[in-house]
């Protein structure tokens, strides 16, 4: 082989070897590179599939597809929630849900300042000659009431007269401090005077065996002490009396009437002044123009509520007031003064037409007498009114306060026994020339009926008349005034007087639709 051919052969061999080496390098690089459709990991993933199982890749979507679907669903839910929140915000801005008001009525508190007595002989002579008010525990009773109101949180608390025992200035000032505490707890308080409160010259202190006159409250004093409890917040005030209008909300007003007579000194009976009647007419007309319900609150009674107490309880000009209130379809008049729990709807005098609208009255019992009740008036969701009485639980308050006085810890029983003892002792003293055993039985029956009468609970007349004590009354004192009073109470307690309800003329239900139905008692 010549030299030229030999060189050509060497070139060809080297070329083939170079081509083979290039091919080997290329294949090794492809084998060592990661697959584009798989995730690179530091270690190989080994999946064991047992017999009878199906591989995930054959039955479920691949991981990227599942994440995509989840993200889409979450996005849809997020958008829906955002729309709902926006819609809710827009609804709140345009139409808030109406919350009906509620009020508490506490009347005839008869607060007495401990600074005015040492609870000696003179004090107990006064207390035992009274009608069962627990004057000795009124401060504690008001503290318990404050705790109840803090929990109940009514729109307002109304004290409808006879704020003090007999108009003692120190009593008024001490009560105002109690009411300030109540307002500090977030509860608004409204007051009006009663027949005991202004220019009352029975105001007294009791120290040892001595009863001494104490400072009275004049009309100017009354306004100074109580102006922050309704008067400063009134939308209208009467110039002739301590009457005013308080706006509960845009649908409901409270017409707070001063029915007491105290010029030049206090009287037991009540009357609405002529100038006040004119002012009332103006306010009622304005309420009618605005389609506002008006609830009237005063101390003295509008209707003849009691056979037992026919004098000095009903307003002297009640017929005139009834006519005015009914002409503007006022649904309810709330009062106190009687120290009884009563409800009644006005009925015209015999011969007068009975058709048409007639006002109702609720008389609240004295907070200071067993069973220590206050009234709760609620506006219902369907545009009605519902009243019920509620007993103050002083015993629970005393326990929570770690009080050691057993009378306060068992206050319900103590108060009932105290009332029974006071009334039965007074009756017992009037039953002269009878054996002691008979006097005790007769006085006890009278006291039992009186307690039910105060609380507004029914008395079973048939059961009472079957009792031995009743027969003793029939045999010994059939014509006595006491026996007549007991029979009057029996007739007057035929049913329960602790609840009342009606529909309102105007207002708003929670569905936002106005209600123009006429009130029905």
């Amino acid at each position: 082989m010549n030299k030229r051919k030999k060189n050509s052969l060497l070139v060809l061999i080297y070329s083939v070897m170079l081509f083979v080496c290039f091919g080997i390098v290329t294949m090794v690089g492809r084998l060592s590179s990661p697959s584009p459709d798989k995730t690179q990991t530091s270690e190989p993933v080994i999946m064991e599939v047992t017999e009878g199982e199906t591989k995930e890749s054959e039955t479920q979507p691949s991981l990227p597809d599942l994440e995509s679907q989840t993200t889409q669903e979450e996005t849809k839910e997020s958008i829906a929630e955002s729309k709902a929140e926006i819609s809710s915000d827009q609804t709140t801005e345009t139409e808030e849900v109406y919350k009906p008001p509620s009020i508490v009525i506490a009347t005839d508190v008869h607060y007495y300042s401990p600074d005015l007595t040492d609870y000696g002989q003179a004090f107990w002579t006064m207390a035992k000659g009274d009608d069962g008010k627990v004057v000795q525990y009124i401060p504690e009773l008001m503290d318990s009431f404050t705790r109840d109101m803090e929990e109940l949180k009514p729109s307002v608390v109304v004290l409808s007269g006879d704020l003090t025992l007999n108009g003692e200035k120190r009593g008024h000032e001490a009560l105002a401090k109690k009411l300030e505490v109540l307002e500090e707890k977030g509860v608004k308080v409204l007051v009006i005077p009663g027949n005991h409160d202004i220019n009352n010259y029975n105001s007294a202190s009791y120290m040892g065996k001595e009863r001494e006159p104490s400072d009275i409250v004049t009309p100017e004093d009354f306004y100074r002490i109580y102006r922050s409890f309704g008067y400063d917040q009134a939308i209208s005030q009467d110039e002739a009396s301590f009457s005013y209008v308080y706006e509960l909300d845009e649908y409901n007003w409270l017409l707070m009437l001063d029915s007491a007579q105290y010029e030049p000194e206090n009287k037991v009976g009540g009357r609405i002044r002529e100038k006040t009647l004119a002012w009332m007419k103006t306010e009622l007309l304005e309420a009618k123009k605005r389609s506002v319900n008006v609830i009237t609150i005063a101390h003295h009674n509008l209707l003849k509520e009691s056979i037992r107490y026919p004098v000095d309880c009903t307003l002297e000009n009640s017929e005139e007031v009834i006519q005015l209130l009914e002409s503007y379809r006022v649904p309810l008049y709330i009062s106190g003064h009687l120290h009884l729990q009563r409800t009644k709807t006005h009925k015209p005098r015999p011969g007068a037409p009975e058709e048409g609208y007639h006002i109702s009255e609720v008389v609240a019992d004295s907070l200071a007498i067993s069973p220590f009740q206050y009234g709760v008036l609620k506006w219902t969701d369907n545009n009605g009114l519902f009243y019920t009485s509620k007993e103050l639980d002083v015993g629970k308050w005393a326990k929570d306060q770690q009080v050691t006085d057993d009378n306060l810890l068992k206050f319900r029983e103590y108060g009932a026994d105290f009332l029974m003892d006071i009334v039965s002792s007074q009756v017992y003293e009037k039953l002269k020339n009878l054996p002691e055993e008979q006097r005790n039985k007769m006085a006890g029956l009278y006291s039992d009926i009186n307690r039910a009468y105060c609380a507004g609970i029914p008395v079973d007349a048939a059961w009472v008349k079957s009792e031995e004590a009743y027969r003793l009354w029939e045999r010994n004192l059939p014509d006595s005034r006491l026996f007549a009073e007991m029979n009057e109470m029996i007739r007057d307690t035929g049913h329960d007087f602790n609840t009342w309800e009606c529909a309102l003329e105007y207002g708003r239900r929670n569905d936002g639709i106005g209600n123009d139905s006429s009130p029905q008692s």
Side-chain angles (χ1 to χ4, degrees), residues 242-281:
F242 287 115
S243 302
Y244 59 98
V245 175
Y246 181 85
E247 183 180 43
L248 273 178
D249 59 28
E250 60 182 311
Y251 304 102
N252 302 282
W253 291 355
L254 298 181
L255 179 58
M256 307 291 292
L257 292 181
D258 173 10
S259 62
Q261 301 183 86
Y262 39 78
E263 297 289 358
E265 61 183 29
N266 75 311
K267 295 182 180 180
V268 176
R271 183 180 185 86
I272 303 299
R273 299 160 181 79
E274 293 303 316
K275 289 183 178 180
T276 303
L277 286 170
W279 170 81
M280 287 171 60
K281 185 174 181 179

Side-chain angles (χ1 to χ4, degrees), residues 110-114 116-117 119 123 135 138-139 165 168 171 204-206:
H110 290 287
Y111 192 89
Y112 192 74
S113 172
L116 292 170
T117 184
Y119 300 102
F123 174 86
V135 182
I138 296 293
L165 183 63
E168 299 83 6
S205 64
Y206 301 91

Side-chain angles (χ1 to χ4, degrees), residues 362-398:
V362 168
V363 182
D365 193 7
S366 170
L367 188 68
I369 299 175
S370 176
F372 313 109
Q373 297 179 149
Y374 57 84
V376 181
L377 182 67
K378 294 183 177 180
W379 278 248
T380 62
D381 288 340
N382 62 349
N383 204 45
L385 283 177
F386 179 75
Y387 174 94
T388 187
S389 63
K390 183 175 175 60
E391 184 176 341
L392 186 62
D393 192 348
V394 178
K396 183 177 184 301
W397 167 84

Side-chain angles (χ1 to χ4, degrees), residues 440-477:
N440 283 328
K441 289 180 180 180
M442 294 166 66
L445 180 62
Y446 185 104
S447 181
D448 282 338
I449 296 170
N450 179 78
R451 182 171 182 272
Y453 193 39
C454 291
I457 57 179
V459 171
D460 186 342
W463 174 81
V464 170
K465 292 179 179 180
S466 69
E467 286 290 288
E468 178 189 358
Y470 187 85
R471 293 194 295 273
L472 289 173
W473 278 102
E474 285 184 309
R475 184 169 67 247
N476 293 322
L477 297 168

Side-chain angles (χ1 to χ4, degrees), residues 75-85:
T75 302
K76 290 179 181 178
E77 290 178 4
S78 178
I79 293 172
E81 289 175 359
S82 298
K83 287 181 177 179
E85 288 176 1

